[in-house]
Amino acid sequence: MTITITAFERSPDGGKGLARDMRVRWALEEVGQPYDVRLLSFKAMKEPAHLALHPFGQIPTYEEGELALFESGAIVLHIAQRHGGLLPDEANGRARAIAWMFAALNTVEPPIFDRALAKILERDEPWYEQRLPVLEDRIRKRLGELSGRLGDADWLEGEFSAGDLLMVSVLLRLKGSALLDEYPNLSAYVARGEARPAYKRAFDAQLAVFAAASTG
Ligand code: GTB
């Protein structure tokens, strides 16, 4: 059955792969499932046809036959459950890998996203210079804890899993910032994720969309 996902027609990140369709593309590449992409303008995302798929009018969505899903975490979990390679077979290891998926989205991503939003939306506020270090300390707290848990392991739960896929996706938003560099094992972890052939295919595919939008 054909899988179709949605993505920005022109991602505001300039092809850096930070929009959340990237994690879905990566998961599909990891499990070897081909997929189509329907590109949407910001206007189209708020129109009834897309709102029927996504109640908040966002990307990404996932369609496969009768199934329509939204929320990147739910989509990655669905892909990981339906296809081999992204979750351990053994029940307890599988549960722990899923816990890491939730940790990435619920515990690590929020402070990272708050900082990104502040940098975009609050930069001109008089209190911005005071707020930024507070937000960065919240991130440091999580990175320190994560770094301690990862130690010198390659991945969070034995083999690479959907937990790593989401955790690396979340940490990538810090790439190039001094914050991530403070934790060399996390920088190396992110680099290991980016070095995966499936990641590279997904990245190139989203970059090609941006490049086509820029020349077209
Ligand atoms: N919780 C949802 C999920 O995980 O699927 C959140 C989905 C979401 O935030 N989608 C964003 C969206 O559709 C795109 S990914 N925004 C449009 C809107 O809400 O109207 C978030 C995102 C956007 C832009 C960048 N960037 O430019 O760097 C990075 C990430």
Side-chain angles (χ1 to χ4, degrees):
M1 219 170 295
T2 308
I3 294 170
T4 303
I5 68 167
T6 51
F8 283 132
E9 182 180 74
R10 190 188 183 101
S11 180
D13 72 1
K16 290 199 194 85
L18 296 175
R20 290 184 171 103
D21 59 293
M22 177 60 200
R23 51 189 73 170
V24 173
R25 292 173 183 271
W26 186 6
L28 288 166
E29 292 289 351
E30 288 285 349
V31 301
Q33 282 296 304
Y35 60 97
D36 291 340
V37 184
R38 189 164 62 252
L39 300 174
L40 297 175
S41 64
F42 278 92
K43 181 171 171 287
M45 285 161 58
K46 308 302 174 198
E47 286 170 356
H50 187 65
L51 286 170
L53 295 174
H54 197 307
F56 309 114
Q58 296 183 311
I59 59 100
T61 57
Y62 175 101
E63 292 155 79
E64 184 181 17
E66 301 281 292
L67 175 67
L69 279 178
F70 60 98
E71 281 299 328
S72 59
I75 297 170
V76 171
L77 180 58
H78 170 75
I79 294 166
Q81 285 177 323
R82 180 150 304 189
H83 306 280
L86 279 176
L87 287 174
D89 291 332
E90 190 268 320
N92 288 351
R94 195 174 180 91
R96 283 193 301 272
I98 293 172
W100 281 116
M101 297 178 69
F102 280 83
L105 301 181
N106 284 354
T107 305
V108 179
E109 186 165 49
I112 293 176
F113 199 69
D114 284 351
R115 174 179 175 267
L117 274 188
K119 280 178 160 268
I120 297 167
L121 301 177
E122 297 168 356
R123 197 174 272 281
D124 295 332
E125 299 291 347
W127 36 261
Y128 174 75
E129 293 301 334
Q130 274 101 53
R131 179 162 155 79
L132 194 60
V134 174
L135 296 176
E136 296 194 333
D137 278 347
R138 284 186 199 148
I139 296 174
R140 271 191 195 93
K141 176 166 174 9
R142 292 302 179 222
L143 296 186
E145 291 157 344
L146 183 65
S147 166
R149 173 55 81 99
L150 181 67
D152 55 14
D154 279 354
W155 307 114
L156 289 165
E157 198 53 55
E159 298 292 305
F160 176 83
S161 77
D164 297 297
L165 187 151
L166 289 181
M167 193 64 82
V168 169
S169 299
V170 162
L171 295 177
L172 270 164
R173 189 176 270 278
L174 295 175
K175 192 178 160 189
S177 85
L179 272 172
L180 191 61
D181 296 343
E182 288 172 28
Y183 305 88
N185 68 335
L186 294 185
S187 295
Y189 173 61
V190 169
R192 268 193 297 285
E194 288 179 292
R196 293 181 70 83
Y199 175 89
K200 289 185 185 167
R201 288 194 295 274
F203 184 89
D204 290 347
Q206 65 77 38
L207 183 59
V209 171
F210 183 80
S214 306
T215 55

